[in-house]
């Protein structure tokens, strides 16, 4: 796990290709070490995840960026884009702009 901390932000990059229950517990512990910073999780190296990771996103309170398409489609289907801050790139997370939301418009 790679951690980059600055004065305002902390970026955690899991280096494991699969985020399972063990990796989620490690993420929780690392996020607790930075209570006053805005924490972002970089999923650049992640290829797969378990339901524990997806469910824990609600309680971690961290932004997520560089999301693989498979995981992104799961997050959209579960409507987690409403409760978890999803971003395309690290720059979007750092500036807190261009958050990804699935609006689900319908024709009336």
């Amino acid at each position: 796990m790679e951690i980059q901390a600055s004065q305002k932000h902390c970026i955690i990059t899991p280096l494991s290709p699969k985020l399972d229950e063990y990796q989620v517990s490690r993420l929780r512990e690392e996020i607790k070490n930075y209570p006053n910073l805005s924490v972002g999780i970089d999923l650049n190296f992640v290829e797969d995840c378990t339901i524990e990771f997806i469910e824990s996103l609600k309680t971690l309170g961290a932004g997520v960026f560089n999301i693989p398409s498979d995981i992104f489609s799961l997050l959209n289907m579960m409507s987690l884009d409403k409760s978890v801050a999803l971003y395309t790139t690290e720059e979007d997370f750092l500036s807190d702009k261009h958050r990804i939301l699935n609006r689900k418009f319908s024709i009336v």
Side-chain angles (χ1 to χ4, degrees):
M1 196 171 293
E2 183 179 315
I3 301 169
Q4 299 173 353
S6 66
Q7 293 178 351
K8 294 181 182 180
H9 304 284
C10 174
I11 297 174
I12 301 173
T13 306
L15 300 176
S16 172
K18 183 174 183 176
L19 291 178
D20 55 6
E21 189 173 358
Y22 173 71
Q23 294 294 331
V24 169
S25 65
R26 288 184 62 201
L27 275 173
R28 270 198 194 103
E29 292 302 317
E30 289 300 329
I31 290 173
K32 286 180 187 177
N33 293 335
Y34 301 97
N36 298 328
L37 299 179
S38 174
V39 178
I41 301 172
D42 183 1
L43 298 182
N44 200 23
F45 298 110
V46 176
E47 298 170 2
D48 192 17
C49 66
T50 61
I51 191 69
E52 288 85 8
F53 172 71
I54 293 174
E55 289 295 322
S56 69
L57 280 177
K58 298 175 191 175
T59 59
L60 286 177
V64 183
F65 55 92
N66 289 335
I67 308 165
S69 60
D70 296 342
I71 298 173
F72 181 68
S73 61
L74 282 174
L75 296 176
N76 275 334
M77 286 181 7
M78 296 178 74
S79 296
L80 288 179
D81 56 327
K82 309 296 189 254
S83 59
V84 178
L86 304 177
Y87 300 96
T88 306
T89 63
E90 181 178 345
E91 290 81 24
D92 291 341
F93 166 73
L94 294 175
S95 63
D96 196 22
K97 294 184 179 182
H98 307 293
R99 186 173 163 188
I100 301 172
L101 291 174
N102 187 1
R103 303 270 187 208
K104 296 183 183 177
F105 290 115
S106 62
I107 299 176
V108 181

